[in-house]
Amino acid sequence: MKIFFSKNEIKTHIHRKFYAEWIKPIFPKARYKLYGLQTGDLVTSESIEDSDMLILPLTWNYYLEYGKLNVAIKIIKEYERYNKPILTWASGDYSLKIPEGNYILLQHNLFKSKQKKNQYAYPAIIRDPLNTLKLYGIDVSMEADNFSLNFCGIANKNIFDKLENKIKETLFRSISKIKRPFLKFEEPISGMLIRGEILKNLNHSNKLRTNIIIRNRKDRWLIDKQKYKFQYWSNIFSAPFTLCIRGRGNFSVRLYETLAVGRIPVIIDTDCVFPLENKINWEKHCIIIKNRDPYKAVDAIEKLIRGLSHTEIIQLQLINRKLWKENLSFSGFYYSFSDHIYNNYNLNSS
């Protein structure tokens, strides 16, 4: 894939978090191995005419946060003259007021009911947990009791947590209207309420064996500590199933972490858009619960988990690790989505 972007637009003081994702492996220097790419599979073209794809150099977050939206619009208008696919990114938990245009938008935080034709879900990119944890491969959970469902994370524990969460959301909305007017608040900005209710009902259920660890809000500042990391990963590894519910954004990083270590996500679908829906049959890899009523959701989880045989649970763990590596890691998604672009824009892959 030959991509074009203006290097002059990326000033040295701009943080790398604002770089367009597919620029990171090749600018300011080549880092193919770090991103899992083969040398030469992603290269910079010196001219628009010779490129396969045109890239908006920085994320929409940068242009909006720093009052540079006119710069982004100017670049897009110039690109549109060449009738080539234009790729842009938006990152983070919140929806942005991004202008309409003839370009592809990749972002984590999408809502299925409001998804536009040019919008695609981008996976939360994580480092390979097996490398981070210094493991040589996945250790398939062979529990005699196949119905174990785990969770470790922050959630509303009680009425005081709910009240605190509501107050914080109200303040955030009020302050953002003044300081960050480019944020959209048409949808809920937190999933903590539904997360707390689902977990409470799972804890009270006698139909499933669970290991649920609810951390205090103050613990969010400690998640990088070795003790908390170990607890988090141990929780995922110790059962075949991990509950995945949105946090502040309408997506779950835990989903990708669960797949990456060969476990089975149980997803509460909050109007989610999943990556590569044209290629991946997500219901064959995850248990997806459409009903968000806490009582009915728990019943649905129990029914679907018990509908799987021991052999199916083992096989799912193996294919889920493969799914993440081949389609949802940085390189996996790059190659998969590149194929989608080549097929849909009649490009000659080389």
Side-chain angles (χ1 to χ4, degrees), residues 61-275:
N61 306 68
Y62 174 81
Y63 296 113
L64 288 164
E65 288 183 27
Y66 289 92
K68 305 283 187 181
L69 186 58
N70 61 316
V71 175
I73 293 173
K74 183 179 178 181
I75 293 171
I76 295 291
K77 291 294 184 185
E78 173 65 18
Y79 283 174
E80 286 176 343
R81 295 172 47 210
Y82 293 88
N83 196 30
K84 294 191 175 190
I86 303 166
L87 201 57
T88 74
W89 272 267
S91 62
D93 294 326
Y94 306 117
S95 300
L96 306 175
K97 295 177 181 177
I98 300 172
E100 299 286 338
N102 186 26
Y103 55 80
I104 295 167
L105 173 63
L106 285 164
Q107 62 184 105
H108 307 306
N109 188 44
L110 284 172
F111 290 82
K112 191 69 175 178
S113 60
K114 298 185 178 181
Q115 182 185 14
K116 297 178 181 177
K117 187 177 180 180
N118 68 324
Q119 295 177 336
Y120 297 88
Y122 190 69
I125 300 300
I126 61 170
R127 296 190 178 213
D128 191 336
L130 298 192
N131 294 338
T132 303
L133 300 170
K134 298 181 180 178
L135 301 174
Y136 294 102
I138 67 168
D139 181 17
V140 174
S141 179
M142 303 288 288
E143 292 248 8
D145 178 0
N146 293 327
F147 311 129
S148 300
L149 173 64
N150 287 8
F151 176 88
C152 176
I154 297 169
N156 291 334
K157 278 186 174 181
N158 50 49
I159 191 170
F160 299 106
D161 286 343
K162 292 179 185 178
L163 182 60
E164 180 188 1
N165 191 65
K166 188 172 183 178
I167 291 171
K168 285 185 175 180
E169 283 199 16
T170 302
L171 286 172
F172 180 78
R173 286 175 183 269
S174 300
I175 293 171
S176 295
K177 284 180 181 179
I178 300 170
K179 293 190 173 182
R180 306 175 77 187
F182 50 84
L183 295 182
K184 291 170 63 178
F185 293 122
E186 298 169 6
E187 303 90 6
I189 60 173
S190 173
M192 287 301 161
L193 180 60
I194 185 174
R195 182 185 284 190
E197 290 297 316
I198 296 286
L199 291 171
K200 182 178 74 174
N201 281 277
L202 279 169
N203 263 331
H204 292 160
S205 173
N206 57 6
K207 297 178 180 179
L208 290 170
R209 188 160 70 87
T210 61
N211 179 13
I212 294 172
I213 302 171
I214 299 180
R215 290 174 171 168
N216 295 320
R217 291 184 181 277
K218 64 181 179 63
D219 290 342
R220 71 169 68 246
W221 311 113
L222 301 173
I223 58 175
D224 287 334
K225 298 289 185 181
Q226 200 63 32
K227 169 188 171 183
Y228 288 87
K229 282 183 177 179
F230 179 78
Q231 185 186 54
Y232 179 83
W233 287 113
S234 294
N235 183 267
I236 293 178
F237 275 112
S238 62
F241 301 95
T242 293
L243 187 68
C244 301
I245 312 177
R246 63 161 290 184
R248 284 184 295 179
N250 194 37
F251 64 98
S252 170
V253 177
R254 194 188 315 266
L255 164 62
Y256 304 100
E257 293 168 332
T258 302
L259 292 169
V261 297
R263 293 295 183 264
I264 305 164
V266 175
I267 303 168
I268 306 300
D269 185 0
T270 51
D271 199 20
C272 300
V273 180
F274 300 105

Side-chain angles (χ1 to χ4, degrees), residues 270-284:
T270 51
D271 199 20
C272 300
V273 180
F274 300 105
L276 302 172
E277 289 184 328
N278 61 314
K279 178 179 181 180
I280 299 171
N281 184 342
W282 281 89
E283 292 188 349
K284 287 189 174 181

